[in-house]
Amino acid sequence: MLKKVKHHSLKKHTEKNLTERDISQRNTSLKYLGFLVDEAFFDDFEMLYEFGRELGLQRKDVKLFTFVETRRKIPSLRQNQITNKEFTWRGEIHNQNAQEFLDFPFDVLIGFYKEKHRFLSAMVAQSKAKFKVGFNDADERLFDLLITVDLQQPEVFKSEVKKYLKIFKKID
């Protein structure tokens, strides 16, 4: 029962954030890159930092935030991680690091997850990123660009994203 209420609240928060989105800065060039990643699906984070370097960014200008369904019992020093338990039944996020990540005005935010994902979609909707990129069957209302690629093939992912960032004049 509580799970249904939480999912309904997430949906309402997502709808509200979609209507309040500021798209006036959508065409700025790439200086800061953010990734929202589903750890159940992908965990090669070094590849994402390397991709940022290939785009001409320094490591400090590439930020990564991940979602895991439930935290493992093993202690972790990772601070840029959120679980479904950190979303209240009202759909609000109770994770200071996540809030800071979402409030940062990334020039490009890449939602690195497949299909529709309630928690990550709510985070994408809440993000202050100027331009948002998603993949394969994601909610098209959340993203400025949807690309259909197999995210398990990093070279194809990289070349497609680069191609579109050049078309949109985000990179040279």
Side-chain angles (χ1 to χ4, degrees):
M1 174 70 172
L2 194 57
K3 191 175 186 178
K4 283 186 180 185
V5 171
K6 184 186 277 191
H7 289 188
H8 178 71
S9 296
L10 281 172
K11 187 177 177 182
K12 286 184 77 159
H13 268 279
T14 300
E15 300 290 333
K16 178 179 170 271
N17 287 323
L18 283 172
T19 60
E20 295 174 354
R21 182 167 180 218
D22 175 19
I23 58 171
S24 64
Q25 300 295 313
R26 188 183 287 177
N27 295 325
T28 59
S29 62
L30 178 64
K31 292 182 190 87
Y32 299 103
L33 176 64
F35 289 97
L36 270 173
V37 181
D38 181 358
E39 277 194 51
F41 167 66
F42 187 82
D43 64 359
D44 183 7
F45 307 132
E46 199 53 45
M47 187 277 290
L48 299 176
Y49 286 114
E50 176 63 34
F51 180 56
R53 192 165 41 255
E54 290 174 23
L55 295 174
L57 300 174
Q58 295 180 6
R59 189 175 178 105
K60 68 178 179 59
D61 298 327
V62 178
K63 305 280 187 236
L64 185 71
F65 212 91
T66 65
F67 174 85
V68 292
E69 195 65 36
T70 53
R71 253 192 238 296
R72 299 172 188 98
K73 299 288 184 203
I74 303 166
S76 173
L77 297 176
R78 297 211 16 243
Q79 296 176 356
N80 292 347
Q81 186 180 71
I82 192 167
T83 67
N84 60 351
K85 304 278 189 230
E86 294 170 278
F87 288 83
T88 68
W89 65 271
R90 283 194 230 117
E92 298 164 347
I93 297 173
H94 280 259
N95 178 315
Q96 185 61 36
N97 292 330
Q99 205 56 59
E100 289 173 11
F101 180 87
L102 297 175
D103 289 340
F104 190 84
F106 292 105
D107 298 304
V108 175
L109 175 73
I110 297 176
F112 208 86
Y113 58 93
K114 305 192 284 192
E115 301 168 351
K116 292 181 171 76
H117 190 291
R118 286 185 177 105
F119 298 104
L120 287 171
S121 292
M123 291 178 75
V124 168
Q126 188 174 336
S127 171
K128 302 289 188 260
K130 299 168 187 167
F131 190 82
K132 301 174 184 180
V133 179
F135 300 96
N136 305 347
D137 302 323
D139 186 343
E140 65 269 357
R141 300 170 306 153
L142 300 173
F143 298 101
D144 301 304
L145 174 65
L146 282 176
I147 302 174
T148 302
V149 295
D150 182 357
L151 294 175
Q152 300 295 353
Q153 296 178 329
E155 294 309 313
V156 176
F157 152 75
K158 288 178 185 181
S159 68
E160 285 297 299
V161 171
K162 278 184 198 175
K163 177 174 79 175
Y164 285 106
L165 290 180
K166 282 181 184 176
I167 290 170
F168 286 107
K169 296 184 168 100
K170 298 278 183 197
I171 59 174
D172 296 325

